Amino acid sequence: AQKITQTQPGMFVQEKEAVTLDCTYDTSDPSYGLFWYKQPSSGEMIFLIYQGSYDQQNATEGRYSLNFQKARKSANLVISASQLGDSAMYFCAMRESLTGNQFYFGTGTSLTVIP
Amino acid sequence: DAGVTQSPTHLIKTRGQQVTLRCSPKSGHDTVSWYQQALGQGPQFIFQYYEEEERQRGNFPDRFSGHQFPNYSSELNVNALLLGDSALYLCASSLGGGSRSYNEQFFGPGTRLTVL
């Protein structure tokens, strides 16, 4: 089974609108971390936001927020007030305590912001 | 504060050859992980080095090997290259230990390897 599933290969959003990128995960480890990364065409993975499995509140970082629904094993990224520079690939990732140090990544969602 | 650096940026090799990729971690970081990202896919974990030892390994054959130096920089070696090894190779650095900062990985710009 896939550890991380991103079901949206591509998304479009109008500039200044909000957009939600979906991510579901699969783990039996009670302790894990969820991450979102942005990958522009240059290739570098840029860390956006982190949510720990025991965190009570949804994580927020500026225009990014993570809609964490633990029972549904979902960790959707919400980008508010989209900007043209937000156009990129977005990857959801997970690290489990039991498996130690490796990050599991989804297949990514390509976001295009339309002016 | 220097981020993660990787060299070379691009590399073209032929089948059967060997290649070495290099990574310098972010200042203050002691742990280096390597990932392979095929076109249109998410990164796949190859292995992680900490204290100059391979600490964990993903599902990659022994043709993939690595090394970490006392200054925490790292090399990824791939022997007997196959066409399927063509990918973007990403290096990520982090801090060993149990703090939250350990959870965060900082990635380099990657090395794009093409095998002909």
Side-chain angles (χ1 to χ4, degrees):
Chain A
Q2 292 290 328
K3 291 279 189 181
I4 297 288
T5 301
Q6 294 181 256
T7 57
Q8 304 158 313
M11 290 282 286
F12 291 87
V13 63
Q14 205 74 38
E15 193 178 5
K16 300 180 185 178
E17 296 291 311
V19 63
T20 298
L21 306 184
D22 295 342
C23 172
T24 57
Y25 59 92
D26 182 31
T27 182
S28 56
D29 189 340
S31 178
Y32 53 90
L34 296 159
F35 304 78
W36 278 91
Y37 285 87
K38 173 184 178 181
Q39 188 177 42
S41 56
S42 59
E44 185 171 350
M45 300 284 279
I46 301 167
F47 167 76
L48 296 178
I49 196 166
Y50 162 81
Q51 179 86 42
S53 60
Y54 293 119
D55 292 345
Q56 294 297 311
Q57 292 188 322
N58 287 344
T60 60
E61 293 284 354
R63 295 186 299 112
Y64 304 108
S65 61
L66 200 151
N67 184 3
F68 181 44
Q69 298 187 48
K70 195 170 182 177
R72 299 176 66 176
K73 294 189 175 178
S74 137
N76 298 339
L77 175 70
V78 180
I79 306 174
S80 62
S82 296
Q83 302 171 357
L84 295 179
D86 294 335
S87 294
M89 285 292 292
Y90 288 81
F91 290 94
C92 179
M94 177 175 67
R95 174 187 169 271
E96 301 167 310
S97 292
L98 286 177
T99 53
N101 309 300
Q102 71 177 87
F103 278 52
Y104 299 95
F105 284 84
T107 52
T109 295
S110 176
L111 177 67
T112 302
V113 180
I114 303 167
Chain B
D1 179 21
V4 180
T5 60
Q6 292 186 243
S7 63
T9 307
H10 295 86
L11 206 50
I12 299 175
K13 292 285 187 178
T14 56
R15 281 180 299 173
Q17 285 190 310
Q18 178 264 344
V19 68
T20 298
L21 310 181
R22 295 176 176 82
C23 171
S24 290
K26 180 180 170 65
S27 178
H29 282 184
D30 57 7
T31 305
V32 173
S33 301
W34 286 93
Y35 292 82
Q36 180 195 65
Q37 186 178 17
L39 198 61
Q41 300 295 317
Q44 298 289 317
F45 177 76
I46 302 175
F47 43 53
Q48 183 180 86
Y49 276 84
Y50 173 67
E51 294 186 339
E52 301 181 50
E53 291 190 357
E54 183 182 293
R55 184 154 69 164
Q56 189 166 353
R57 189 179 184 91
N59 188 25
F60 279 79
D62 292 344
R63 298 187 298 109
F64 290 78
S65 64
H67 188 77
Q68 185 177 36
F69 299 94
N71 67 352
Y72 308 123
S73 67
S74 176
E75 287 182 349
L76 164 66
N77 300 293
V78 187
N79 295 321
L81 284 167
L82 304 173
L83 296 180
D85 295 332
S86 294
L88 179 68
Y89 288 84
L90 293 164
C91 167
S93 75
S94 57
L95 265 177
S99 67
R100 173 178 170 165
S101 61
Y102 168 70
N103 290 318
E104 194 170 320
Q105 291 190 128
F106 291 84
F107 284 82
T111 293
R112 189 163 296 281
L113 172 65
T114 302
V115 182
L116 302 176

